[in-house]
Amino acid sequence: MLYFTEAALVPAGEVGLGLAVAAVLDRARELGLERVTVRSSPRAIPAYARHGFEAYPRLLHAHVGRPGG
């Protein structure tokens, strides 16, 4: 497994997102990984889709609140 845990880009940083995603995907291929999974803001979904990411219907989650929140 390869973990890339946090990324934040300025609003005009979509080019930066593209470079970062490409680098992560290249590294995943080098490592022979089967898939890369991201959790994205709705605003960034189109940018990820341009790099081949798709919705995966069997990926499930439950909201249970935040610690201390």
Side-chain angles (χ1 to χ4, degrees), residues 30-42:
E30 290 170 4
L31 294 171
L33 300 180
E34 183 179 330
R35 74 177 59 90
V36 174
T37 303
V38 298
R39 182 180 73 189
S40 174
S41 69

Side-chain angles (χ1 to χ4, degrees), residues 29-61:
R29 287 184 195 98
E30 290 170 4
L31 294 171
L33 300 180
E34 183 179 330
R35 74 177 59 90
V36 174
T37 303
V38 298
R39 182 180 73 189
S40 174
S41 69
R43 186 171 152 182
I45 290 172
Y48 282 108
R50 286 192 291 275
H51 289 276
F53 283 84
E54 304 173 347
Y56 187 67
R58 293 184 356 201
L59 184 60
L60 307 172
H61 66 268

